[in-house]
Amino acid sequence: MNLAPLSPDNSTVVLVDYAVGFANLLRSHDLRDHLANVVGLATTARLYGAPLVVTNGEASKPSGPLYPELLAALGDQEVIERKTAFNSFLDERFAAAVKATGNNRLVIGGIATDGCVLQTALGAVREGYEAYVVVDATASTSKEAHDMAVQRMIMAGVTPVTWWSLAAEYQLEPRFADSPVRTRLMSQFQPAMTMGGRTFFAGVDLGRTPAATK
C-alpha cells in the first residue's frame, strides 16, 4: 500500500452509476446513510478541488439518471453516459477522461459494489492505476455481496477507504491547514460531531459565566 497521503493534487474521485433505478434494490446499507455518504464524497471532491470523473449508464434505460441529491451536489459537472456495462474502462470517453486528470490514484465510489464498482476497480488496476474504493459510499443488494466484493478488490490490490477519512486526508494538504472545508463538511454530514463540539463550547462559555448573586 502506498503510504503517501492522498491529496486533491494526486488523486481523482470517480463516481460510478449512482442511478435512481438501483437505489431501492440496495440492502447492504441504510438508504438514507448511503445517500448522505455519496453526497458527502462528491462534496468533498468539489470543496477540495480534486479532479472528478462521473459516469452512469444510459439515463433512458430502467436504471435511470443519477440521484437528484448527487446531481445537485455536482452542479455543472459532466456525466459520461456509457453504453458499456460493468467495467467503465471499456468506454473510451470514460478512460480518456480519467487519463486527462493526470493522476494515477483513483478513489472510486458507486453501485453496485459487486458489479460496476468491482469491475471498474479491477479495470483500473489492469490499466496500471492505484485504486481505492470508498466502502461506505458503495452499496449492493446484500451485505454479503458488498463484503465479498470488497474482499475481492482488496485481494487484487485495491485499498479500502471511507469518504470521511478521505476528507480528513485531503485536509492534511498544507494549503488547507487553516481551511474551514472539513468543518463545513462536518456541519453538513456529521451532525453528532457538530453537536459534540457545540456542547463543549457551550460548557466552556457556561464555565466563564459569573455565578448569579442572591
Side-chain angles (χ1 to χ4, degrees), residues 2 13-14 29 36 52 73 76 100 110 123 128 130 142 146 159-160 164 167 197 208:
N2 187 345
V13 175
V14 176
H29 295 73
L52 189 58
D76 60 358
E130 187 179 314
S142 71
H146 172 82
T159 302
W164 184 237
R208 291 172 178 166

Side-chain angles (χ1 to χ4, degrees), residues 26 45 50 66 76 101 184 194 198 210:
L26 304 177
L66 296 182
D76 60 358
T101 68
R184 180 175 169 184
T194 302
R198 289 172 179 168

Side-chain angles (χ1 to χ4, degrees), residues 24 82 85 154 212:
N24 289 328
R82 307 186 325 278
I154 292 172

Side-chain angles (χ1 to χ4, degrees), residues 18-200:
Y18 287 117
V20 294
F22 295 138
N24 289 328
L25 303 176
L26 304 177
R27 296 292 181 270
S28 61
H29 295 73
D30 176 80
L31 183 55
R32 180 168 51 187
D33 291 340
H34 171 71
L35 286 171
N37 292 343
V38 170
V39 176
L41 175 60
T43 305
T44 294
R46 295 300 296 266
L47 292 182
Y48 285 105
L52 189 58
V53 176
V54 183
T55 185
N56 189 29
E58 295 175 271
S60 60
K61 289 190 173 180
S63 54
L66 296 182
Y67 304 160
E69 298 87 346
L70 176 57
L71 286 172
L74 291 173
D76 60 358
Q77 171 72 38
E78 178 188 10
V79 178
I80 299 171
E81 200 170 87
R82 307 186 325 278
K83 292 185 178 180
T84 58
F86 302 115
N87 179 5
S88 301
F89 279 94
L90 297 178
D91 183 275
E92 293 182 0
R93 288 179 60 220
F94 173 87
V98 171
K99 185 176 181 179
T101 68
N103 290 330
N104 192 54
R105 308 175 89 181
L106 306 183
V107 181
I108 304 169
I111 52 176
T113 319
D114 56 335
C116 297
V117 175
L118 170 66
Q119 295 304 326
T120 297
L122 295 179
V125 173
R126 293 187 196 103
E127 295 293 325
Y129 290 100
E130 187 179 314
Y132 298 75
V133 60
V134 189
V135 294
D136 60 346
T138 69
S140 195
T141 52
S142 71
K143 186 176 185 300
E144 182 179 36
H146 172 82
D147 291 347
M148 291 304 101
V150 171
Q151 284 192 33
R152 183 179 175 190
M153 285 186 273
I154 292 172
M155 292 175 70
V158 178
T159 302
V161 297
T162 63
W163 82 266
W164 184 237
S165 71
L166 177 70
E169 204 157 349
Y170 278 1
Q171 186 77 26
L172 293 174
E173 181 69 26
R175 71 177 183 276
F176 292 110
D178 299 317
S179 166
V181 172
R182 194 161 184 266
T183 301
R184 180 175 169 184
L185 288 168
M186 184 185 297
S187 66
Q188 185 175 355
F189 299 102
Q190 299 287 353
M193 287 185 178
T194 302
M195 288 300 181
R198 289 172 179 168
T199 301
F200 170 78

